[in-house]
């Protein structure tokens, strides 16, 4: 079983839509969780950390379900500029991160 | 401006040649990392360093070497022993015991 699994997509949505991505992780000892955004041919950029209680940053909401070992990202009111690949990232110790392969989002006018 | 710089942005080399990729940060971060990304693949860890003069192998260290003589710098050498070196190479850094990593703009290496 892969350590961090994501649906590669692409998810095609119109502007203004709400879209959700899920990610599952295999190691129950995982301690920290993140969503990164990566634009085409660019470096990944931290979108948000994911806390046990769930957290929200503007149009973005992240949730963690430790019992089922999955993380979700919800994007409301999608913008064209949200088109990117979203990477689910998990940390076991504090020194290294494990990256999923990413979910591609395409927002159309 | 504080940040992570990588140079060059694009690099071409002939098969059998060693090449060194630069990574510099002025964020005063303790830990630095090198990743490789291939099309359709996730990031894979090559090497990382948590303090000066110390580094550890990641998941795919074979054919690569690093040094960490200064806190600000973590160069990666891709040797001729690396079988498939063509890839997008990303350097990252992390502050203290915080878990988030921040990335440089990357170097695209193509072996001809």
């Amino acid at each position: 079983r892969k350590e961090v699994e994501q649906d590669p997509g692409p998810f095609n949505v119109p502007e203004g839509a709400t879209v959700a991505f899920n990610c599952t992780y295999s190691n129950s000892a995982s301690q920290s969780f993140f969503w990164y955004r990566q634009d085409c041919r660019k470096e990944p950029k931290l979108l948000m950390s994911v806390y046990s209680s769930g957290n929200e940053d503007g149009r973005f909401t992240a949730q963690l379900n430790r019992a089922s070992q999955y993380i979700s990202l919800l994007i409301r009111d999608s913008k064209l500029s949200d088109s990117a690949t979203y990477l689910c990232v998990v940390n076991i110790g504090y020194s290294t991160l494990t990256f999923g392969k990413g979910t591609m989002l395409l927002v159309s006018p | 401006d504080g940040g992570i710089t990588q140079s060059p942005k694009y690099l071409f080399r002939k098969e059998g040649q060693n090449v060194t990729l630069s990574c510099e940060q002025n964020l005063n971060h303790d830990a630095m990392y090198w990743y490789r990304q291939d099309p359709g693949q996730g990031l894979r860890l090559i090497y990382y360093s948590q303090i000066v003069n110390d580094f550890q192998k990641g998941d795919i260290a074979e054919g690569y070497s690093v040094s960490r003589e200064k806190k600000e710098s973590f160069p990666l050498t891709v040797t001729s022993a690396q079988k498939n070196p063509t890839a997008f190479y990303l350097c990252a850094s992390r502050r203290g015991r915080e878990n988030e990593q921040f990335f440089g703009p990357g170097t695209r290496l193509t072996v001809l």
Side-chain angles (χ1 to χ4, degrees):
Chain A
R1 183 178 173 185
K2 296 177 184 175
E3 292 189 57
V4 179
E5 289 200 66
Q6 298 181 250
D7 181 342
F11 284 59
N12 289 283
V13 302
E15 270 187 294
T18 295
V19 62
F21 310 134
N22 287 331
C23 160
T24 58
Y25 60 94
S26 60
N27 193 324
S28 59
S30 300
Q31 297 173 341
S32 303
F33 309 89
F34 310 94
W35 284 102
Y36 278 73
R37 170 198 169 121
Q38 186 173 25
D39 293 294
C40 187
R41 300 179 69 82
K42 299 286 189 180
E43 75 274 22
K45 294 184 178 178
L46 179 65
L47 180 65
M48 58 197 304
S49 301
V50 186
Y51 304 118
S52 296
S53 56
N55 48 301
E56 187 174 308
D57 183 3
R59 297 182 293 108
F60 298 85
T61 301
Q63 296 279 351
L64 168 63
N65 185 318
R66 285 189 183 271
S68 300
Q69 294 182 205
Y70 79 81
I71 307 152
S72 65
L73 177 68
L74 182 77
I75 305 175
R76 290 181 298 277
D77 189 23
S78 298
K79 311 291 185 190
L80 294 176
S81 57
D82 293 334
S83 296
T85 297
Y86 290 84
L87 307 178
C88 175
V89 184
V90 172
N91 171 284
I92 299 175
Y94 79 93
S95 58
T96 62
L97 299 176
T98 300
F99 288 77
K101 294 182 179 181
T103 297
M104 182 181 291
L105 172 65
L106 299 173
V107 182
S108 55
Chain B
D1 286 339
I4 305 171
T5 57
Q6 291 186 242
S7 62
K9 188 173 182 179
Y10 297 96
L11 187 58
F12 299 87
R13 77 152 217 222
K14 293 182 179 179
E15 201 169 336
Q17 291 180 333
N18 292 353
V19 62
T20 297
L21 281 58
S22 168
C23 178
E24 304 279 332
Q25 54 98 1
N26 60 5
L27 301 168
N28 200 34
H29 284 180
D30 299 302
M32 297 185 74
Y33 301 80
W34 275 106
Y35 294 90
R36 162 184 180 139
Q37 188 175 36
D38 296 281
Q41 300 296 315
L43 276 69
R44 292 185 290 167
L45 182 63
I46 303 172
Y47 268 99
Y48 65 103
S49 167
Q50 298 188 67
I51 55 173
V52 174
N53 292 322
D54 186 50
F55 48 82
Q56 287 78 40
K57 292 182 179 180
D59 301 318
I60 55 166
E62 186 175 351
Y64 299 97
S65 65
V66 293
S67 63
R68 186 86 186 277
E69 297 177 1
K70 299 186 299 182
K71 188 175 185 178
E72 302 79 18
S73 179
F74 190 40
L76 173 75
T77 297
V78 184
T79 75
S80 56
Q82 168 50 232
K83 296 288 186 272
N84 297 295
T86 294
F88 186 35
Y89 289 88
L90 289 155
C91 178
S93 68
R94 174 179 59 80
R95 179 178 60 195
R97 293 186 70 86
E98 296 178 11
N99 292 319
E100 296 91 342
Q101 293 181 17
F102 299 91
F103 287 84
T107 293
R108 291 195 178 275
L109 172 64
T110 301
V111 174
L112 304 173

